Amino acid sequence: MNFIDNIFTDFSEIHGDRAFGDDDALACGMARLDREEVLAIGIRKGGSLKDRIKRNFGMPSPEGYRKALRCMKIAEKFGRPVISFIDLPGAYPGVGAEERGQAEAIARNLLEMSRLRVPTISIITGEGGSGGALALAVADRVLILSNAIYSVISPEQCAVIMWRDAAQRELAAAALRISAPEIAALGCVDEILPEPREGAHANREASFEMLASALQRHLAELKALPINDLVAARQAKFRNIAQFYTEG
């Protein structure tokens, strides 16, 4: 939300999924990028411990993903591009979330985002964890900050599953290939955005300006394309990501 608050103006938040409730871990709203009207989606992790617990440490529930999809369909109706900021360890794994259809909510977002008839951009700003991140990242352009990670599972969870020992997280991280350059080499992201050496938080104003410039550049390129070509290219990109071939 720090990026949304500092890059966009006139952010007007939309609440609720019109089915169960609202989700404090995920925020959606109409906003302006320079003079361009867009839909902005962001994760709220919280600051204090009490706030983090309230927001499930930034892990969205089914109603969060359904709220995001509801807002994306509104944006599509009015021809507004969709921009999502992703920084989450994964979707919320609680019993209640599973009872309310977490897997279905994520799958529905994957399907609907793949055919949205507006330009879409996703930016991985910190953690891009599992299907919870992918449910907001089926986009025409997927960008990643140079110190961010993007992975099917966290290294700690992977180590517990594979070696029954979370201490093996470094070995798991190496095998998962989660860093920005490794992810870019697999074709899972379209551009790595450089951060200050110490991270985006070390020079916030420069980071906001850099990201705003990148968003405006990519948005201009996407808006120049016919919408049918845009949707076809998006679907082809995700069908071809991370394909591996072996001989014989």
Side-chain angles (χ1 to χ4, degrees):
M1 288 303 297
N2 286 331
F3 288 104
I4 290 177
D5 291 339
N6 288 276
I7 293 174
F8 300 90
T9 57
D10 301 323
F11 179 70
S12 179
E13 189 170 355
I14 301 171
H15 294 276
D17 67 345
R18 297 286 178 90
F20 177 80
D22 201 7
D23 184 359
D24 291 324
L26 191 148
C28 311
M30 299 300 175
R32 286 187 174 89
L33 176 63
D34 195 11
R35 287 173 291 182
E36 181 77 34
E37 293 183 338
V38 302
L39 170 71
I41 301 173
I43 300 298
R44 285 186 167 132
K45 285 189 168 181
S48 66
L49 178 59
K50 182 178 180 180
D51 202 28
R52 286 174 177 266
I53 292 172
K54 175 185 177 183
R55 303 186 190 284
N56 290 330
F57 295 85
M59 295 183 287
S61 296
E63 50 271 22
Y65 291 112
R66 292 181 179 125
K67 174 175 68 172
L69 179 57
R70 180 170 80 89
C71 294
M72 285 188 263
K73 300 302 285 187
I74 294 173
E76 181 182 44
K77 178 179 179 180
F78 291 101
R80 297 186 179 184
V82 174
I83 301 175
S84 60
F85 293 82
I86 297 166
D87 182 16
L88 55 90
Y92 184 57
V95 173
E98 298 296 342
E99 290 175 342
R100 296 192 300 277
Q102 184 72 286
E104 187 278 336
I106 291 172
R108 177 65 59 181
N109 276 28
L110 302 182
L111 172 65
E112 297 294 342
M113 284 195 76
S114 72
R115 58 192 186 189
L116 281 176
R117 297 184 64 79
V118 291
T120 54
I121 302 174
S122 295
I123 311 98
I124 302 162
T125 62
E127 294 178 286
S130 192
L134 189 60
L136 301 172
V138 181
D140 298 308
R141 299 287 166 83
V142 181
L143 316 178
I144 186 170
L145 298 188
S146 56
N147 290 321
I149 61 172
Y150 197 17
S151 175
V152 68
I153 190 172
S154 73
E156 292 82 3
Q157 291 172 320
C158 178
V160 169
I161 292 172
M162 297 300 298
W163 295 285
R164 302 291 191 271
D165 182 7
Q168 301 295 327
R169 57 186 176 273
E170 292 185 8
L171 182 61
L176 286 167
R177 302 171 70 182
I178 63 177
S179 69
E182 292 170 323
I183 291 298
L186 292 171
C188 297
V189 296
D190 299 296
E191 183 180 354
I192 300 174
L193 302 177
E195 296 181 64
R197 188 185 184 106
E198 299 80 10
H201 60 281
N203 191 337
R204 294 163 60 91
E205 294 304 319
S207 298
F208 296 147
E209 291 178 10
M210 175 273 296
L211 188 48
S213 176
L215 289 174
Q216 290 168 347
R217 170 168 50 85
H218 282 286
L219 196 54
E221 294 173 359
L222 294 172
K223 290 183 68 179
L225 298 174
I227 193 63
N228 288 336
D229 294 349
L230 191 68
V231 174
R234 183 193 310 153
Q235 293 176 352
K237 178 178 76 168
F238 278 89
R239 288 191 180 107
N240 294 323
I241 278 178
Q243 289 189 1
F244 295 90
Y245 300 91
T246 57
E247 296 181 1

